[in-house]
Amino acid sequence: MSPARRHRVLPTTDELRVWRGFIEAAEALRGELGSRLQSEAGLSSSDYTVLLALSEADGQRLRSSQLAAGVGWERSRLSHHLGRMERRGLIRRENCTTDSRGAEVVLTDEGAAAFRAATVPHLTAVRELFVDALSPDQLAAAGEIAAALGERLAFQRKNSPTDNRGHSRTNSPPPAKSPRHCASGSPHGTGTARDRLAKPELHAALGERLAARPERHPCLPGSAGPRQEQSCHGAGHRR
């Protein structure tokens, strides 16, 4: 990077053009993927994000604080969304038997079935709209760009005197001296939540298995049985 570019305060016209193109394309891609996910599986993008994290967790359960950090949400947003998912039967919340300070979010059988039913069509859409639109070199470059942006954001958060809500980091409570354990037996005090939850190889492998042995979700067209349909309606899925 040249000294002139490094010391420039505002982006140039060409840099802004790239920025706007990147943001607009990303928003359009997210919107189309979310629309397809809702119409094909009856799940919102937020539903799928939570179900994905839980499906990849040990015992298919996570502390709510760990889940919030892993998906990058505020605790209040997660709590409200978990309430809606719990009423639909996709997850349940349980008290942690060995740590009274928190609760665990657990993937239910209905939530696991909904996630499996959504995975193949969702990953098919990802390939169609994202992977197939790029050459191998462009795909590799996209990965490098994502990594560079992630590193910059992590550096900014680490060195910022305030968190993303404007609260001083100096007033934050100190981390626990030892990891806590819940019913799942997994420690919740070591590593970063995003490192523990980011398992794309598991997601891809699941998609391959389900594509080879497709499993129909009761709420999708072609399913059978009024008992199954009643269960889906109770879970809040759209037909």
Side-chain angles (χ1 to χ4, degrees):
M1 182 184 299
S2 67
R5 182 184 176 190
R6 185 166 57 248
H7 293 99
R8 185 181 178 92
V9 176
L10 301 177
T12 65
T13 300
D14 287 342
E15 290 166 346
L16 274 178
R17 185 177 296 110
V18 173
W19 161 251
R20 291 184 61 175
F22 173 78
I23 291 298
E24 290 169 4
E27 290 295 333
L29 179 61
R30 286 172 61 91
E32 179 62 21
L33 287 172
S35 177
R36 292 193 186 190
L37 187 62
Q38 183 69 64
S39 63
E40 294 175 342
L43 296 175
S44 69
S45 296
S46 296
D47 294 334
Y48 193 84
T49 295
V50 171
L51 295 176
L52 172 61
L54 292 175
S55 72
E56 294 179 345
D58 293 339
Q60 297 188 326
R61 60 176 63 221
L62 287 168
R63 285 278 296 274
S64 57
S65 57
Q66 186 185 16
L67 179 58
V71 300
W73 293 358
E74 296 289 342
R75 291 286 297 275
S76 59
R77 175 188 176 187
L78 178 65
S79 179
H80 288 305
H81 195 75
L82 289 179
R84 292 190 289 270
M85 293 182 71
E86 192 167 27
R87 289 190 292 272
R88 294 159 59 199
L90 299 174
I91 61 99
R92 68 176 183 271
R93 286 179 280 193
E94 298 178 352
N95 291 328
C96 178
T97 57
T98 58
D99 182 4
S100 60
R101 298 182 306 172
E104 284 191 309
V105 183
V106 184
L107 183 66
T108 64
D109 290 342
E110 174 69 18
F115 173 73
R116 289 194 300 270
T119 292
V120 171
H122 178 60
L123 294 184
T124 299
V126 170
R127 169 162 287 283
E128 175 190 342
L129 298 174
F130 178 70
V131 177
D132 289 349
L134 304 174
S135 69
D137 288 343
Q138 289 173 328
L139 193 62
E144 294 173 358
I145 291 169
L149 291 173
E151 290 174 2
R152 171 57 65 93
L153 290 171
F155 176 81
Q156 293 289 343
R157 293 192 190 101
K158 181 179 179 180
N159 293 278
S160 173
T162 60
D163 61 19
N164 58 1
R165 291 172 294 178
H167 298 165
S168 173
R169 295 187 187 274
T170 58
N171 296 328
S172 301
K177 294 183 179 180
S178 61
R180 295 277 179 170
H181 296 261
C182 285
S184 62
S186 59
H188 299 300
T190 57
T192 65
R194 285 192 180 277
D195 288 342
R196 290 194 297 273
L197 297 183
K199 302 175 182 177
E201 67 280 2
L202 298 183
H203 196 188
L206 174 64
E208 292 293 338
R209 289 199 305 272
L210 293 176
R213 182 171 49 87
E215 176 179 347
R216 300 295 297 176
H217 188 266
C219 291
L220 297 179
S223 61
R227 181 179 177 182
Q228 291 176 318
E229 291 181 0
Q230 183 178 5
S231 173
C232 290
H233 294 163
H237 293 297
R238 295 182 183 178
R239 289 184 61 82

